[in-house]
Each structure stands twice: as structure tokens, then as C-alpha cells.
Amino acid sequence: MHFLVQTKPYADEAIESYLLRLARDNSYDGYSELADILWQWLVEQDHELEGALPLELSKVDVYHARQASSFRIRALKLVAQLADVNAGDILALAWRRSNFKFGNLAAVSRSELTIPLELLRTNNIPVCIECLEESSYIPFYWHLKPYKTCHKHKTQLTSQCRECHNLIDYRASEAFLECGCGYKPTSSEQLNDADFKIAFALASSNSQKIVGLIPWFAKVKQLDVSDADFNRAFVDYFSTWPDGFTAELDLLTNNARLKQLNPFNKTKFNSVYGRVIRDGQIAATSNRKNKVLDEIINYFVELVGSNPKAKHPNIADLLLCTFDAAVLLNTTTEQVYRLHQEGFLNCAYPQKKHEQLRADSHVFYLRQVIELQQAFAAEKPQTKKQFIAPW
């Protein structure tokens, strides 16, 4: 079995778009008809591949496969063989699960771009009518929630059908220039400057710099990335970075001094600053740079410097949990345990015999952690620090 038409993929094309074009070019009604035939053929070639390629176009990307992702990869390689296309070119179109984490957020990767999984659209894929009239395929960045304006034509993406008012999704209609109701979408929305700036960044080589900042900003501001005004709020906030962020931390610091109930050396860091350190991890990039955590460290370096050790505890003597201490030191919780055992970090209270410190135990002084952080030079490229050799 071979396809009569060998459809070549575009470098920036979504995997769903390519398979739909492959089906159309070879006179199938859509992907679902092609998938039904491929289902039978794949089983004949390899009995383990039964069901490896789903019948629904919206479920075909590799990251959907979960435990059976290796079978999905094998199935796509066989499809590439039928289309007489290099298998690597096909696999490069797919989003695959990554071991990298944006804080507690799962990640997916495509070529050299790693993003939080939650940035991928699930319910609909808006389109640029002008792009589709020029080249009938769907770029992968249309699948990203913050991408709302075509950076090529400077027009808002069309997300809703004017006829049936349903959200546009080529994966459901299996047509690029036609809604599921048969109506051809049109675009007349005015350009949003903030949307254009975000779209331009996402479609460029700078995309890695902002894909972590977007979910971090959404988390701390309790906003939805899909909201129409999200990009505007994001651009405004980072246009004055880090002034706004520093002002927010200053407000928390001043409130802690005004509302102090217990000595600061018996007060949990999280009761003053909340999850600022833990949430800051979301803003990472795949090469481990993190402008939010950098600013958090700068802030607390200044805080410790302006509040020297004194007879009476001050705000620089707050208690950090083991996990937050590890984040500030850019190391693991195991290394923090070792630093304590070797005398680099003092515990705020005497430990019982054989007591195991938990990651959420607030036992380390902010002052000591920051001073230890300053004592070691930053590494390039940035990797997890190992202060003390393993056992």
C-alpha cells in the first residue's frame, strides 16, 4: 500500500493538519475515512498497533497517547513510509511529552520548543482566513491559547462561525476553510496590538522566553489565558518589569511588619509571601533560565542586606520550608538535607533522634539560605547545583 500523492509537510505545520491534507490529497473525504483504512492496514503490518492511530483527528497528536505513545510513534513512522516522506519530518510536527516541568505543570515539546501542556487549545482552533487562502494548512502556533492574531497579516484570528455561532475547529469539521455547518468563515475583527506582540513572539525564535511567563502570570493574577483581555494585561505588566512585581513584594513585606503577631524567627515565610517561590518555578525556560525567580532572589538578597542580623529577629529571619530553600538554592531537597547535616544550614528547632525533615517543614532561616545562595557562583549553562558530594 502506498499513497498516490506524496504530501510533503510544512516545517511549522500541525500534525493534525498534515494528516488531513494527506487524506484530502489522496481523494479521501477526510482524515476519519483514511484512519479507518489505516487502522486495518496497521494491524496487518504489526498486531501491536491496533488502535495506535485514533479515528478522531483531535486525538492523533503523540502527547494524547500517554502510555501507548511508543505505538503512536511507530504508527506515524509507517504512515510516513506510505507517504514516501522522511519519518523524522513527520514526527517533528507532533507535540510529545517532556520530562521538563514548569513548576508543577506538565510540559510538551515540539522540535526545540518546550511549552506547558495547558497552553495548547483543546476545544477549538481559530484560523487566519488570509493565511488559508494563500496556503491551505494549519501552523502549529494557531493551537496555542495566547496566539490570537496572525503575525503575518496583522488580523485577529477567526474563532467563531457567524452562521451557527459554534467555535471553529478544523479537527472536527475536517476542513480548513469551512465550518462544520458548511459555512465559510470570514474575518472582520480589529487588530489588538497586545495580541500581535504575543503572536509575533510565539511564532519567532523568542517563543521559549515567554511560554513560562504566560502561565505564571495567569496563575498569580488568577486569569484565564483564553480571555480576550489577557494578552493586554500581560504586555502591560511586563512592560514595566520588574517594578510592578517588586511593588507587590514590598506590599507583602510592609503588611507583615504591620500585622506581626509572632517573632519573625518563628513565622513561616509562606504566611507572609504565600506561594511566591513555588509559583515562580512556572516561569522557567527549558534551558533553566527564570527571570521571575531571578527577581525573587534579587529582592530577598536586598531584604536580607537591609535587615542585618540583630538582637531582635527581623523579617529576614523568616522560616523557609525545605522545598522553597531548594528552589532558592537551585538544588534538590536532598542537597538541602545534606547542607543541614554538614552544618551549612541551621535548623530552627532541635531535631528528635532519627527525625526526618519533610519538604514542607518550615525549619530554615531565610537569612542563611540567601547568604548561602550568594556564597556560590552561578553556573553557565544553568544546572541544578550540587553543594555537597553524594554519599
Side-chain angles (χ1 to χ4, degrees), residues 75-290:
L76 289 174
K77 285 182 178 179
L78 288 174
V79 171
Q81 181 181 323
L82 296 181
D84 194 25
V85 175
N86 186 288
D89 293 340
I90 300 295
L91 297 180
L93 307 182
W95 289 105
R96 287 172 272 185
R97 292 183 178 271
S98 171
N99 288 329
F100 185 78
K101 292 280 188 180
F102 290 87
N104 61 345
L105 301 181
V108 289
S109 292
R110 173 197 157 103
S111 298
E112 297 181 356
L113 176 61
T114 301
I115 68 167
L117 176 59
E118 68 174 35
L119 289 190
L120 287 180
R121 289 186 166 106
T122 55
N123 298 326
N124 73 302
I125 308 295
V127 298
C128 172
I129 306 302
E130 292 185 52
C131 280
L132 290 176
E133 288 175 344
E134 292 174 0
S135 301
S136 188
Y137 78 97
I138 305 293
F140 75 90
Y141 37 78
W142 291 2
H143 283 246
L144 304 180
K145 290 179 181 178
Y147 190 95
K148 301 171 184 177
T149 292
C150 177
H151 71 286
K152 296 179 181 178
H153 297 103
K154 299 183 179 180
T155 58
Q156 295 295 111
L157 297 186
T158 301
S159 59
Q160 191 173 40
C161 175
R162 292 187 177 185
E163 184 70 17
C164 67
H165 305 294
N166 288 333
L167 294 175
I168 292 172
D169 190 343
Y170 75 95
R171 301 168 303 178
S173 64
E174 297 197 0
F176 296 136
L177 274 170
E178 192 174 287
C179 176
C181 69
Y183 181 78
K184 181 179 177 180
T186 57
S187 176
S188 62
E189 294 185 61
Q190 289 186 330
L191 175 67
N192 181 309
D193 289 341
D195 287 345
F196 175 73
K197 289 179 180 178
I198 298 297
F200 189 83
L202 289 173
S204 72
S205 58
N206 292 323
S207 55
Q208 193 65 68
K209 295 180 179 179
I210 68 167
V211 292
L213 293 175
I214 290 171
W216 171 80
F217 182 72
K219 174 74 183 296
V220 298
K221 297 299 181 182
Q222 297 184 331
L223 299 173
D224 189 332
V225 178
S226 300
D227 288 347
D229 56 353
F230 175 85
N231 286 350
R232 170 59 62 196
F234 178 87
V235 169
D236 288 346
Y237 186 81
F238 280 97
S239 65
T240 59
W241 179 266
D243 295 347
F245 185 57
T246 302
E248 292 166 2
L249 293 177
D250 282 340
L251 181 61
L252 295 175
T253 300
N254 294 332
N255 284 342
R257 286 172 170 145
L258 290 172
K259 301 176 181 179
Q260 180 186 358
L261 297 176
N262 298 316
F264 279 121
N265 64 346
K266 298 183 183 300
T267 301
K268 294 180 180 180
F269 177 90
N270 289 357
S271 68
V272 176
Y273 296 102
R275 294 173 52 92
V276 64
I277 294 176
R278 194 161 302 193
D279 288 344
Q281 289 190 296
I282 297 174
T285 62
S286 57
N287 61 359
R288 299 193 181 278
K289 291 183 179 180
N290 189 320

Side-chain angles (χ1 to χ4, degrees), residues 340 347-353 355:
H340 166 57
C347 198
Y349 62 86
Q351 282 184 270
K352 297 178 182 177
K353 190 175 182 179
E355 181 183 2

Side-chain angles (χ1 to χ4, degrees), residues 277 288 290 292-305 320 324-331 336 339 344-345 364-379 382-383 385-387:
I277 294 176
R288 299 193 181 278
N290 189 320
V292 173
L293 276 182
D294 286 347
E295 197 53 44
I296 289 172
I297 292 172
N298 290 340
Y299 182 85
F300 289 112
V301 165
E302 177 65 27
L303 184 75
V304 169
L320 281 170
D324 285 350
V327 174
L328 290 180
L329 293 171
N330 188 27
T331 191
V336 174
L339 287 167
F344 289 90
L345 290 175
F364 298 114
Y365 296 107
L366 172 64
R367 182 187 308 282
Q368 286 191 353
V369 172
I370 290 297
E371 289 172 344
L372 186 60
Q373 191 276 338
Q374 289 182 281
F376 286 80
E379 297 178 12
Q382 295 186 13
T383 57
K385 290 182 181 177
Q386 183 168 295
F387 294 90

